[in-house]
Amino acid sequence: MSEVYYLDSHCHLFSEEFQEDFDEVIERSRKKGVVFLNIMCTEEEEAYRAMDFSETDRDHISVSYGIFPTDAEDAEKRWGELEKIAEDPRCTCIGEIGLDYYWEKDPAMHDLQKEVFARQIELARKLNKPFCVHSRDAIQDTYDLMKAHHWKGLMHSFSGSAEMGREFVKLGYYLSLGGPVTFKNARHAANVAREMDVNFLLTETDSPYMAPVPVRGKRNEPSYIPHIVKKIAELRQMKEEILAAVLVENWRRFRSLQ
Ligand SMILES: [Zn+2]
């Protein structure tokens, strides 16, 4: 067992890709010390399975559920079930919610995405739980909305500039970095990793997507987190173990809503 503990703030462990070898994936991540897991769920049924699993280790395993931006048109139909899951004490975070103008080009749908995003932030506030944001090709609108509906949240796989990152941090939001920070062409991610206040950084895999170098292109899994921490530590000229401990501390603070 590793002496250093790591955080994966965003992994889709109950997606189809892990159905075959779920136990092995968990075992490998434990061996590497990646014990803090935030399991992201985009479907109701997934959320219930993840919540049941979280009971095996409530101190380390969190579950997030929310209506994904490109599913905004189903929000009305799914709202009752969303509230029910969100109120469950085993669901610790609302997400991933946000705006995605990359997959959705219709401006009328962007308005609907904003409405559903805002409504879910307000639900998080009502329940005193943090939220996790997906933002793609929509960073300014995401920022404006998170400023207007200010609450405790994190930006998953933050891909904005360091300048933009600082604006989010000023509002108390956390920035989570994943595989792209290890990619040569992801200039923004490296700058964010280097320049942000370390107390507002988190790490994630976004498993099964976005595997970091040197396993880029493979199915991603939480046990690859040390590659990401190693890269951020290099960029910041910090010791890897110290950075890992800071990231875990950040996550505890984020989760406890202090
Ligand atoms: Zn995700």
Side-chain angles (χ1 to χ4, degrees), residues 66-86:
I67 297 170
F68 195 75
T70 55
D71 292 335
E73 54 195 334
D74 301 328
E76 215 50 63
K77 196 170 70 203
R78 290 171 56 183
W79 195 264
E81 195 63 28
L82 167 67
E83 278 186 322
K84 200 172 136 201
I85 296 170

Side-chain angles (χ1 to χ4, degrees), residues 10 12 40 42 68 96 134 156 206-207 209:
H10 197 112
H12 294 266
M40 307 305 300
T42 54
F68 195 75
E96 55 196 292
H134 168 106
H156 133 69
D206 202 9
S207 302
Y209 318 105

Side-chain angles (χ1 to χ4, degrees), residues 113-181:
Q113 285 191 7
K114 284 187 217 168
E115 200 185 303
V116 174
F117 183 20
R119 204 173 159 200
Q120 291 186 96
I121 297 176
E122 292 311 319
L123 176 65
R125 187 199 311 281
K126 188 178 99 186
L127 298 172
N128 203 27
K129 292 181 183 184
F131 64 99
C132 168
V133 177
H134 168 106
S135 175
R136 194 156 180 204
D137 287 359
I139 197 75
Q140 190 62 48
D141 281 1
T142 303
Y143 175 80
D144 292 344
L145 202 138
M146 287 168 68
K147 193 174 180 188
H149 295 265
H150 187 241
W151 179 237
K152 182 139 177 160
L154 74 84
M155 296 298 293
H156 133 69
S157 194
F158 185 71
S159 59
S161 64
E163 196 187 353
M164 199 66 202
R166 265 188 284 276
E167 295 304 314
F168 279 98
V169 168
K170 266 189 216 160
L171 295 177
Y173 291 119
Y174 288 73
L175 309 176
S176 185
L177 297 173
V181 80

